[in-house]
Amino acid sequence: MELQQLKVLENCQVFRRWGVLHIRCWKEDVAEAVLATRSLLVEPIGQLRIAQKIQVSVAKHPVALFPVHSDKQFV
């Protein structure tokens, strides 16, 4: 079920730059669907230390920017 919710990312450009994971969507309804899956994105991104923030945008216009909390401890 979670994988089905994340399939919306197929319609977006996803890249990382300067500690920010950018999710660039081309339609506003796709960006809203990505924001609805926010809880599914934050935890794995934080655990893998891929980025410190996630930015969702529609056609290069930022819609949302939220932090990714990760534990800085090394195991």
Side-chain angles (χ1 to χ4, degrees), residues 1-61:
M1 185 172 147
E2 292 174 348
L3 186 59
Q4 286 296 94
Q5 291 175 335
L6 292 174
K7 278 210 173 264
V8 71
L9 292 174
E10 291 178 345
N11 301 317
C12 303
Q13 180 184 19
V14 180
F15 61 96
R16 183 180 66 143
R17 184 172 182 197
W18 293 98
V20 179
L21 182 70
H22 295 269
I23 303 174
R24 187 176 294 161
C25 307
W26 303 112
K27 295 181 180 179
E28 194 170 324
D29 59 332
V30 175
E32 289 174 11
V34 169
L35 289 173
T37 63
R38 174 181 172 174
S39 61
L40 296 175
L41 294 171
V42 171
E43 187 176 345
I45 298 297
Q47 287 180 353
L48 293 171
R49 296 187 192 133
I50 293 174
Q52 296 146 359
K53 297 177 185 176
I54 298 174
Q55 179 177 335
V56 179
S57 59
V58 177
K60 297 187 180 183
H61 299 289

